[in-house]
Amino acid sequence: MTTPQNASGPDTPGPGPATQGLPAQGLPARERTAAEQRRLAEEKKRERYVWYYLGYFLFGIHVVAFVMIYAVRHAK
């Protein structure tokens, strides 16, 4: 059993997966700018999270390195 790709049929052009994340071109300029502002705010938030994860990762590497140095220096 197969399912149609969209509600109007598989051969009818419609919004595909490539256009789902893009802002609609038919929106008024004010709504486009609001959508763009939301997208930029979300992008800035994600970038901040990436920097946090990188910082925690590097901090963790240093903690592990110091523990290993301590273990090697104090081994009998």
Side-chain angles (χ1 to χ4, degrees):
M1 181 173 149
T2 61
T3 58
Q5 292 178 355
N6 57 24
S8 56
D11 296 330
T12 306
T19 60
Q20 287 177 352
L22 299 174
Q25 296 299 325
L27 293 175
R30 185 174 54 204
E31 289 181 22
R32 272 199 310 253
T33 58
E36 182 72 14
Q37 291 296 324
R38 283 193 303 272
R39 188 189 65 77
L40 288 174
E42 187 68 27
E43 184 176 330
K44 188 181 283 188
K45 179 180 174 183
R46 288 180 183 148
E47 185 175 342
R48 193 169 42 236
Y49 282 155
V50 168
W51 283 110
Y52 289 156
Y53 290 137
L54 179 63
Y56 287 133
F57 175 73
L58 293 175
F59 178 76
I61 286 176
H62 285 83
V63 169
V64 169
F66 289 136
V67 168
M68 291 175 69
I69 291 169
Y70 180 83
V72 168
R73 289 181 152 233
H74 291 81
K76 290 189 176 189

